């Protein structure tokens, strides 16, 4: 079965969602919730995405995201990947955390964005397992920030949602809208057995047909994977080192070997090889060493933005085959 089409274009809005594999919990402690919000913050900085609403539940999450740079896929891969590595490390687990690729509904902002934000914020009391009696008291949602009952993360964008109501008493008006109004069309949309990829009026759907064609051709282009040999040779040339320095484990004191770390990360992202195959390429005994190396690189990128930018430049050059 082919993967669902991702329609990406500049300044698009998406309702993004995912849940734990087998409906298992993906948040086991307050620190887990906090780290996922940290992952969102990092993605907002790194990929220039705007987060307009969010709600994190024990076994799933909802996000309302705008992509000025048409890069939803890269942003979500970063969020899910970084959090999965954290979760496996902290809770001593391994393998996939989520049930698969995230689901993204492209939203007609003019007609439906306000209602989608309401749907996201009502999730804690609409779920089959009642977690809270009052929405404003659920702290892992952006709703308290929207009604001035909690702190507002620097990366959370509220102004556009407020502007769709066009009312002066924005906090009270939004609270009234979320807690007391309803939209049968939205309820029917999200109650469907198979969730559609677009929520919009007929004109909106007609206008994005060109993007659907473009996205389909781009998906076929991206599906052409790079080989591990190509990635490693490219990095060896860029850093002016021998290939053996990248694929061979150095004995003794563990030091930062950025060419090797970059190669492992980029091979993981661009080649389609599984962890065991990557372990064979980079001459480590167990595939867990690959995940640990990627985890160390991710931690380093959080500390040093220059390293993060360097990796992104290398990735872009490998994808486009432009010389550095």
């Amino acid at each position: 079965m082919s993967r669902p089409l991702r329609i990406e274009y500049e300044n698009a809005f998406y309702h993004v969602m995912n849940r734990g594999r087998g409906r298992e919990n993906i948040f086991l402690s307050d620190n887990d919730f906090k780290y996922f919000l940290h992952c969102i913050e990092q993605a907002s900085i790194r990929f220039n995405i705007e987060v307009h609403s969010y709600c994190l539940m024990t076994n799933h999450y909802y996000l309302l995201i705008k992509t000025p740079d048409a890069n939803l896929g890269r942003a979500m891969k970063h969020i899910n990947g970084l959090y999965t590595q954290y979760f496996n490390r902290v809770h001593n687990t391994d393998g996939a955390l989520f049930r698969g690729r995230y689901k993204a509904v492209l939203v007609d902002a003019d007609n439906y964005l306000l209602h989608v934000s309401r749907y996201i914020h009502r999730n804690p009391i609409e779920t089959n397992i009642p977690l809270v009696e009052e929405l404003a008291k659920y702290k892992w949602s952006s709703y308290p920030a929207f009604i001035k009952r909690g702190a507002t993360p620097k990366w959370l964008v509220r102004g556009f949602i407020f502007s769709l109501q066009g009312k002066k008493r924005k906090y009270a008006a939004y609270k009234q809208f979320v807690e007391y109004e309803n939209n049968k069309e939205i309820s029917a949309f999200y109650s469907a057995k198979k969730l559609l990829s677009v929520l919009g009026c007929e004109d909106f759907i007609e206008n994005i047909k060109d993007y659907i064609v473009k996205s389909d051709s781009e998906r076929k282009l991206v599906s052409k994977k790079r080989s591990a040999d190509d990635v490693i040779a490219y990095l060896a040339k860029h850093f002016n080192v021998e290939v053996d320095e990248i694929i061979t484990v150095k004995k003794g004191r563990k030091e930062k070997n950025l060419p090797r770390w970059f190669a492992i990360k980029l091979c993981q992202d661009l080649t389609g090889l599984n962890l065991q195959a990557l372990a064979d390429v980079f001459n480590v005994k167990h595939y867990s060493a690959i995940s640990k190396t990627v985890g160390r690189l991710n931690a380093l990128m959080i500390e040093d933005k220059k390293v993060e930018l360097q990796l992104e430049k290398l990735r872009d050059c490998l994808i486009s085959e432009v010389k550095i």
Side-chain angles (χ1 to χ4, degrees), residues 8 43 46-47 49 69-80 102 311-313 315-316 319:
E8 295 193 0
R46 179 172 176 177
F47 299 101
I49 62 171
D69 299 330
N71 56 353
L72 179 69
R74 293 179 65 191
M76 291 311 304
K77 183 176 182 179
H78 176 81
I79 292 172
N80 287 342
Y102 61 90
L311 175 67
E312 286 307 303
K313 183 178 179 181
R315 187 199 312 277
D316 291 341
I319 291 174

Side-chain angles (χ1 to χ4, degrees), residues 25-263:
N25 288 344
I26 56 176
F27 303 111
L28 304 181
S29 68
D30 281 3
N31 285 337
D32 292 347
F33 284 107
K34 291 176 183 177
Y35 193 82
F36 191 86
L37 294 178
H38 166 75
C39 294
I40 296 175
E41 180 181 20
Q42 290 300 308
S44 70
I45 297 170
R46 179 172 176 177
F47 299 101
N48 190 35
I49 62 171
E50 296 178 6
V51 181
H52 289 253
S53 298
Y54 68 86
C55 184
L56 313 183
M57 305 294 286
T58 53
N59 69 350
H60 67 278
Y61 66 76
Y62 287 155
L63 306 174
L64 185 55
I65 292 177
K66 180 182 179 182
T67 56
D69 299 330
N71 56 353
L72 179 69
R74 293 179 65 191
M76 291 311 304
K77 183 176 182 179
H78 176 81
I79 292 172
N80 287 342
L82 188 60
Y83 182 74
T84 297
Q85 290 167 13
Y86 155 84
F87 186 93
N88 286 340
R89 182 175 66 252
V90 170
H91 298 291
N92 195 28
T93 57
D94 197 9
L97 174 63
F98 298 101
R99 66 177 177 181
R101 298 181 82 209
Y102 61 90
K103 175 70 178 179
V105 177
L106 178 64
V107 181
D108 175 356
D110 292 339
N111 295 291
Y112 293 100
L113 198 71
L114 186 60
H115 297 285
V116 173
S117 179
R118 176 185 185 273
Y119 177 85
I120 290 173
H121 283 150
R122 287 189 61 82
N123 194 237
I125 60 172
E126 296 290 351
T127 182
N128 292 330
I129 303 175
L131 298 179
V132 292
E133 295 181 356
E134 186 179 347
L135 284 176
K137 292 182 179 179
Y138 189 71
K139 61 182 178 178
W140 306 118
S141 160
S142 53
Y143 183 63
F146 269 81
I147 61 172
K148 216 173 183 179
R149 291 280 295 275
T152 304
K154 293 181 179 179
W155 43 266
L156 179 65
V157 180
R158 299 177 300 170
F160 188 75
I161 296 292
F162 287 143
S163 72
L164 294 174
Q165 287 193 290
K167 297 181 179 180
K168 292 182 179 180
R169 297 178 65 248
K170 55 187 179 183
Y171 304 114
Y174 189 76
K175 185 177 188 297
Q176 173 73 23
F177 173 73
V178 169
E179 298 189 12
Y180 298 105
E181 297 186 33
N182 192 15
N183 184 293
K184 293 182 179 180
E185 184 181 0
I186 295 296
S187 298
F189 179 87
Y190 284 107
S191 298
K193 291 184 178 179
K194 185 177 181 180
L195 192 61
L196 298 178
S197 296
V198 181
L199 173 59
C201 64
E202 291 183 6
D203 289 343
F204 177 79
I205 295 173
E206 186 68 26
N207 288 335
I208 66 170
K209 284 183 177 179
D210 288 341
Y211 290 106
I212 294 175
V213 174
K214 180 180 179 183
S215 296
D216 189 46
S217 64
E218 288 178 347
R219 179 175 60 171
K220 292 176 181 177
L221 179 63
V222 171
S223 67
K224 297 179 180 179
K225 302 291 185 180
R226 297 287 182 269
S227 72
D229 288 343
D230 287 343
V231 173
I232 293 168
Y234 191 90
L235 292 179
K237 182 178 180 180
H238 173 70
F239 286 103
N240 193 28
V241 298
E242 297 295 329
V243 168
D244 283 348
E245 294 187 40
I246 293 178
I247 64 173
T248 304
V249 181
K250 289 186 177 181
K251 296 181 179 180
R253 188 176 60 182
K254 294 182 179 180
E255 297 180 350
K256 294 185 181 71
N257 183 351
L258 281 181
R260 178 179 171 86
W261 290 12
F262 283 151

Side-chain angles (χ1 to χ4, degrees), residues 244-295:
D244 283 348
E245 294 187 40
I246 293 178
I247 64 173
T248 304
V249 181
K250 289 186 177 181
K251 296 181 179 180
R253 188 176 60 182
K254 294 182 179 180
E255 297 180 350
K256 294 185 181 71
N257 183 351
L258 281 181
R260 178 179 171 86
W261 290 12
F262 283 151
I264 290 174
K265 174 63 175 172
L266 291 171
C267 281
Q268 184 183 55
D269 292 348
L270 303 177
T271 66
L273 296 177
N274 60 31
L275 290 176
Q276 185 55 60
L278 289 173
D280 294 338
V281 170
F282 290 96
N283 296 293
V284 292
K285 293 181 179 180
H286 196 272
Y287 62 82
S288 62
I290 299 297
S291 297
K292 290 178 181 178
T293 299
V294 172

